[in-house]
Amino acid sequence: MQVANRSVRPTAIQVPVVGADEAFVVRRVYCVGRNYVDHIREMKEGDERDPPFFFQKPADAIVRDGDTVPYPPLTSDFQHEIELVAAIGQGGVDIPVARALDHVFGYAIGIDMTRRDRQREARERGLPWEIGKSFDASAPCGPLFPASRVGHITSGVISLSVNGATRQRGDIAQMIWNVAEIVANLSQHYALGSGDLIFTGTPAGVGPVVPGDRMVGNIAGLGEISFTIGERNAR
Ligand code: MN
């Protein structure tokens, strides 16, 4: 059978890899909710002993380091969540915790951008989180640092500033589930594949941004990323 129109084939979503010519081709983007106790407290999200959980963003929601993040429609409370991103190199199912880091190709700094007003509304009404979390350009992500180059990230400062003022500051060691536990747990829900990115949750200090703001994110060992917030509804 002939393919009627090859142009409908979507462009591969890629994230650059530090020190390599070939970029990392993204398959899926998973996110962990409720992975730092101090953020659960600021969100007043109920029982702190409830386990973290997962949601997804579309792969083409990724915005590359240095680019503009358009202010999305349908919100007046557009918020930042700085997160460590783990990239899956080799997929698998039911991966044991002790083997989980063997599946991690590397790490990046990401920001889980959130329409907080829509997320709260969905939570209160028992509706899915998509409108609050899984929209266009909602996943700014810096370059990937291979674990073979920087090791596995298990501790160190994670922080985000807006226009030079620190908003979020925590330590990777504060995560409720560490990266190995996240990979193991997620692989029970879904078959993980090469190219999957996992945003691993955010520390306290989340807050709103407005057009023209400049967000700078840092994680010890992974350098710095920066994004400017664009005009409202500039799509
Ligand atoms: Mn998040």
PDB file of all heavy atoms in Angstrom, residues 32 55 81 83 112 133 201-202, ligand 1:
ATOM      1  N   VAL A  32       6.450  13.099  37.935  1.00  0.00           N
ATOM      2  CA  VAL A  32       6.085  12.599  39.256  1.00  0.00           C
ATOM      3  C   VAL A  32       5.450  13.740  40.040  1.00  0.00           C
ATOM      4  O   VAL A  32       5.991  14.846  40.088  1.00  0.00           O
ATOM      5  CB  VAL A  32       7.329  12.087  40.024  1.00  0.00           C
ATOM      6  CG1 VAL A  32       6.929  11.538  41.397  1.00  0.00           C
ATOM      7  CG2 VAL A  32       8.059  11.035  39.219  1.00  0.00           C
ATOM      8  N   PHE A  55       1.966  11.413  36.044  1.00  0.00           N
ATOM      9  CA  PHE A  55       1.127  11.914  34.951  1.00  0.00           C
ATOM     10  C   PHE A  55       2.048  12.138  33.756  1.00  0.00           C
ATOM     11  O   PHE A  55       3.260  11.989  33.878  1.00  0.00           O
ATOM     12  CB  PHE A  55       0.366  13.193  35.341  1.00  0.00           C
ATOM     13  CG  PHE A  55       1.230  14.351  35.772  1.00  0.00           C
ATOM     14  CD1 PHE A  55       1.655  15.300  34.860  1.00  0.00           C
ATOM     15  CD2 PHE A  55       1.599  14.508  37.103  1.00  0.00           C
ATOM     16  CE1 PHE A  55       2.435  16.377  35.257  1.00  0.00           C
ATOM     17  CE2 PHE A  55       2.385  15.582  37.514  1.00  0.00           C
ATOM     18  CZ  PHE A  55       2.798  16.514  36.600  1.00  0.00           C
ATOM     19  N   GLU A  81       7.838  24.843  38.258  1.00  0.00           N
ATOM     20  CA  GLU A  81       8.255  23.774  39.166  1.00  0.00           C
ATOM     21  C   GLU A  81       9.587  23.235  38.648  1.00  0.00           C
ATOM     22  O   GLU A  81       9.622  22.517  37.654  1.00  0.00           O
ATOM     23  CB  GLU A  81       7.219  22.633  39.207  1.00  0.00           C
ATOM     24  CG  GLU A  81       5.845  23.047  39.715  1.00  0.00           C
ATOM     25  CD  GLU A  81       4.900  21.859  39.916  1.00  0.00           C
ATOM     26  OE1 GLU A  81       5.287  20.707  39.609  1.00  0.00           O
ATOM     27  OE2 GLU A  81       3.767  22.097  40.384  1.00  0.00           O
ATOM     28  N   GLU A  83      12.666  20.827  38.319  1.00  0.00           N
ATOM     29  CA  GLU A  83      12.737  19.388  38.574  1.00  0.00           C
ATOM     30  C   GLU A  83      13.987  18.759  37.946  1.00  0.00           C
ATOM     31  O   GLU A  83      14.429  19.179  36.876  1.00  0.00           O
ATOM     32  CB  GLU A  83      11.474  18.690  38.014  1.00  0.00           C
ATOM     33  CG  GLU A  83      10.201  19.406  38.453  1.00  0.00           C
ATOM     34  CD  GLU A  83       8.933  18.577  38.435  1.00  0.00           C
ATOM     35  OE1 GLU A  83       8.973  17.420  37.980  1.00  0.00           O
ATOM     36  OE2 GLU A  83       7.898  19.107  38.898  1.00  0.00           O
ATOM     37  N   ASP A 112       8.550  21.895  35.167  1.00  0.00           N
ATOM     38  CA  ASP A 112       7.172  21.426  34.954  1.00  0.00           C
ATOM     39  C   ASP A 112       6.259  22.655  35.065  1.00  0.00           C
ATOM     40  O   ASP A 112       5.834  23.023  36.147  1.00  0.00           O
ATOM     41  CB  ASP A 112       6.854  20.363  36.014  1.00  0.00           C
ATOM     42  CG  ASP A 112       5.375  20.022  36.115  1.00  0.00           C
ATOM     43  OD1 ASP A 112       4.604  20.385  35.200  1.00  0.00           O
ATOM     44  OD2 ASP A 112       5.003  19.378  37.114  1.00  0.00           O
ATOM     45  N   LYS A 133      -1.604  20.641  33.361  1.00  0.00           N
ATOM     46  CA  LYS A 133      -0.227  20.158  33.288  1.00  0.00           C
ATOM     47  C   LYS A 133       0.283  19.844  31.882  1.00  0.00           C
ATOM     48  O   LYS A 133       1.478  19.938  31.626  1.00  0.00           O
ATOM     49  CB  LYS A 133      -0.110  18.860  34.116  1.00  0.00           C
ATOM     50  CG  LYS A 133      -0.159  19.068  35.623  1.00  0.00           C
ATOM     51  CD  LYS A 133       1.120  19.725  36.121  1.00  0.00           C
ATOM     52  CE  LYS A 133       1.250  19.644  37.638  1.00  0.00           C
ATOM     53  NZ  LYS A 133       2.491  20.312  38.110  1.00  0.00           N
ATOM     54  N   GLY A 201       9.655  15.599  40.106  1.00  0.00           N
ATOM     55  CA  GLY A 201       8.991  16.300  41.203  1.00  0.00           C
ATOM     56  C   GLY A 201       9.758  17.542  41.628  1.00  0.00           C
ATOM     57  O   GLY A 201      10.935  17.707  41.302  1.00  0.00           O
ATOM     58  N   THR A 202       9.062  18.412  42.352  1.00  0.00           N
ATOM     59  CA  THR A 202       9.632  19.734  42.652  1.00  0.00           C
ATOM     60  C   THR A 202       9.676  20.017  44.153  1.00  0.00           C
ATOM     61  O   THR A 202       8.789  19.581  44.892  1.00  0.00           O
ATOM     62  CB  THR A 202       8.811  20.841  41.935  1.00  0.00           C
ATOM     63  OG1 THR A 202       9.576  22.047  41.877  1.00  0.00           O
ATOM     64  CG2 THR A 202       7.488  21.141  42.635  1.00  0.00           C
TER      65      THR A 202
HETATM   66 MN    MN B   1       5.869  18.826  39.021  1.00  0.00          MN
END
